[in-house]
């Protein structure tokens, strides 16, 4: 017993100077583990006489208590010290200047939209806006697309009650602008439009830009339109592109044209992207049809209008081949812009 008590006392001395978790644990095993000194001493109590047992037992209990209180105090001390050093190591200095090469530049479609707006606002076009939910009159009727007209088929959309629908193009904003102001008008607008479409090159929601110029008198002609749009296309795609006006049909313009640019992927020599024609269609335009002016009560005016898909311009400008990648919030694509 004397020997064991001495061993325990020695261990307690060691325990007092312990300063890490591992040493603490090995001392705990040494003193009170399954084969520890105290455990051994208690099991040897059976071998001594009743009187001695009482005395030695009390002594052992006192040693055990001393060990326990010392052990838990040490444990707390060490844990606190560990926590402090961990906190010090993991400290975040929020005042540190954060240098990064990951700067958000905005979505590519919105970058293109802003480029378009910059150009036209620079030419004194006013920026207009209109609602996503339109009525039949502004979206179709006033634009010379009567009920049952086959042109409605191409713009099938999502309908609400009472002839309300999600606008299929930004052209109704032309109508609203003319209803609210007198000529002269020079306006541009951009925004989301909706159609029942979904594939590689069509999405149920996409963005358009619309422009309208109207003046009193009959002097606004195709030459004005051609000049503005040719300059615009070069501003977007560079001076090197060739621009082509191809006769076309829209109910709200007469005459109408579609504008093609020389294919930027093959430089006009013909490839898969341009179906070996050397050209890509990018917008529709024309001289405003007299029935549109009639619908808004304008008399003795002339004007031109144009409309384009912003996603399409974005895809051509930056060589993106799947329209759907714009809406999938895949950072690997968006980060490239
Ligand atoms: N609204 C037409 C569309 O969605 C685009 C368009 C073509 C607008 C010719 C115009 C225009 O203003 O003159 O397909």
């Amino acid at each position: 017993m004397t020997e064991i008590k001495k061993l325990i006392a020695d261990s307690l001395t060691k325990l007092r100077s312990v300063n890490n978790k591992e040493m603490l644990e090995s001392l705990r095993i040494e003193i009170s583990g399954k084969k520890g000194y105290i455990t051994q001493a208690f099991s040897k109590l059976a071998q001594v006489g009743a009187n001695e047992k009482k005395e030695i037992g009390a002594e052992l209990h006192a040693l055990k208590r001393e060990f326990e209180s010392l052990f838990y105090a040490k444990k707390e001390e060490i844990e606190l010290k560990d926590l402090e050093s961990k906190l010090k190591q993991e400290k975040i200095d929020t005042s540190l200047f954060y240098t990064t090469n990951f700067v958000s530049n905005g979505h590519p479609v919105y970058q293109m939209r802003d480029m378009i707006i910059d150009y036209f606002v620079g030419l004194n076009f006013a920026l207009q806006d209109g609602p996503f939910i339109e009525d039949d009159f502004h979206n179709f009727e006033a634009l010379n697309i009567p009920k049952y007209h086959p042109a409605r088929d191409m713009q099938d959309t999502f309908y609400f009650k009472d002839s309300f629908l999600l606008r299929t193009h930004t052209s109704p904003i032309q109508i609203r602008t003319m209803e609210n102001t007198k000529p002269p008008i020079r306006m541009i607008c951009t925004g989301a439009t909706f159609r029942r479409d979904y594939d590689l090159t069509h999405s149920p929601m996409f963005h358009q830009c619309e422009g309208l110029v109207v003046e009193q008198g009959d002097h606004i002609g195709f030459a004005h339109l051609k000049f503005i749009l040719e300059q615009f296309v070069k501003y977007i795609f560079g001076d090197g592109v060739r621009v082509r006006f191809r006769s076309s049909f829209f109910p709200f313009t007469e005459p109408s044209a579609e504008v093609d640019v020389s294919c930027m992927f093959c430089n006009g020599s013909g490839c898969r992207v341009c179906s070996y024609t050397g050209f890509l269609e990018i917008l529709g335009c024309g001289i405003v049809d007299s029935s549109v002016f009639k619908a808004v009560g304008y008399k003795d005016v002339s004007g031109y209008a144009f409309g384009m898909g912003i996603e399409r311009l974005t895809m051509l400008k930056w060589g993106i081949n799947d329209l759907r990648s714009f809406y999938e919030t895949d950072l690997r694509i968006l980060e490239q812009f």
Side-chain angles (χ1 to χ4, degrees):
M1 267 305 169
T2 330
E3 203 177 305
I4 288 182
K5 280 194 288 187
K6 189 176 173 298
L7 286 171
I8 296 174
D10 283 353
S11 297
L12 287 177
T13 316
K14 274 195 249 167
L15 188 59
R16 278 187 194 93
S17 61
V18 126
N19 62 5
N20 66 58
K21 264 201 322 229
E22 293 72 28
M23 268 172 77
L24 184 71
E25 178 59 10
S26 76
L27 277 170
R28 186 193 64 76
I29 293 169
E30 191 177 307
I31 300 173
S32 74
K34 262 191 199 155
K35 292 179 183 160
Y37 304 137
I38 292 184
T39 324
Q40 273 182 44
F42 274 116
S43 64
K44 280 188 178 152
L45 268 185
Q47 299 164 17
V48 299
N51 272 348
E52 272 181 302
K53 195 188 262 180
K54 216 173 170 187
E55 198 186 313
I56 299 174
E59 257 180 275
L60 283 178
H61 273 296
L63 279 173
K64 193 180 172 200
R65 271 197 301 278
E66 191 184 342
F67 159 73
E68 278 173 352
S69 70
L70 196 60
F71 173 80
Y72 286 113
K74 268 288 167 190
K75 191 166 177 251
E76 204 180 306
E77 185 190 311
I78 290 170
E79 280 174 356
L80 199 73
K81 215 181 67 200
D82 285 355
L83 180 69
E84 264 167 16
S85 79
K86 198 174 164 203
L87 284 176
K88 227 180 237 165
Q89 262 173 33
E90 295 178 1
K91 188 176 161 198
I92 296 169
D93 183 354
T94 52
S95 70
L96 256 185
F97 181 67
Y98 182 52
T99 52
T100 174
N101 53 9
F102 177 66
V103 178
S104 169
N105 287 316
H107 193 281
V109 169
Y110 280 7
Q111 284 183 48
M112 177 52 77
R113 174 199 64 184
D114 292 347
M115 272 180 88
I116 298 170
I117 291 176
D118 270 358
Y119 176 82
F120 286 104
V121 166
L123 289 174
N124 214 19
F125 282 63
L127 197 55
Q128 300 287 355
D129 206 357
F132 288 166
I133 298 176
E134 268 296 0
D135 53 53
D136 191 87
F137 175 76
H138 290 92
N139 196 82
F140 290 129
E141 208 80 35
L143 287 158
N144 197 28
I145 314 174
K147 283 193 181 58
Y148 313 114
H149 191 285
R152 285 202 179 191
D153 255 14
M154 285 161 49
Q155 302 198 357
D156 201 4
T157 184
F158 304 89
Y159 288 87
F160 303 93
K161 283 192 298 209
D162 306 324
S163 318
F164 283 103
L165 54 117
L166 287 179
R167 70 179 180 206
T168 60
H169 49 181
T170 41
S171 303
I173 304 176
Q174 283 188 24
I175 303 297
R176 289 185 178 276
T177 307
M178 287 192 276
E179 283 174 334
N180 296 333
T181 39
K182 285 195 191 119
I185 288 175
R186 247 170 194 268
M187 76 93 171
I188 184 110
C189 62
T190 64
T193 52
F194 308 86
R195 289 188 200 175
R196 261 196 58 189
D197 261 336
Y198 192 49
D199 62 32
L200 221 70
T201 52
H202 296 91
S203 115
M205 189 281 302
F206 60 104
H207 297 79
Q208 280 193 339
C209 164
E210 186 89 13
L212 174 74
V213 169
V214 182
E215 285 182 23
Q216 208 71 52
D218 61 3
H219 58 279
I220 299 288
F222 214 92
H224 299 101
L225 169 66
K226 203 164 177 241
F227 175 79
I228 288 263
L229 290 181
E230 264 173 12
Q231 297 305 307
F232 168 72
V233 171
K234 297 200 166 180
Y235 157 82
I236 295 287
F237 294 107
D239 280 336
V241 295
R242 274 153 290 136
V243 186
R244 174 171 93 174
F245 283 69
R246 184 167 35 77
S247 153
S248 184
F249 171 80
F250 297 104
F252 30 88
T253 44
E254 181 59 36
S256 306
E258 280 176 306
V259 175
D260 298 341
V261 285
S262 52
C263 178
M264 49 293 286
F265 300 101
C266 60
N267 207 9
S269 62
C271 69
R272 260 181 50 210
V273 181
C274 60
S275 307
Y276 301 98
T277 61
F279 279 95
L280 293 160
E281 184 239 311
I282 55 159
L283 61 86
C285 62
I287 297 300
V288 180
D289 195 290
S290 58
S291 58
V292 173
F293 289 139
K294 209 166 139 200
V296 297
Y298 273 14
K299 277 197 190 89
D300 305 320
V301 293
S302 54
Y304 64 78
F306 54 88
M308 59 191 109
I310 301 180
E311 275 82 351
R312 182 162 173 82
L313 287 181
T314 313
M315 288 168 84
L316 296 178
K317 168 102 181 143
W318 288 303
I320 301 163
N321 52 22
D322 188 344
L323 175 77
R324 289 171 289 200
S325 60
F326 288 140
Y327 313 117
E328 284 166 353
T329 60
D330 185 340
L331 287 182
R332 287 169 304 178
I333 293 192
L334 299 179
E335 273 170 8
Q336 296 174 43
F337 298 89

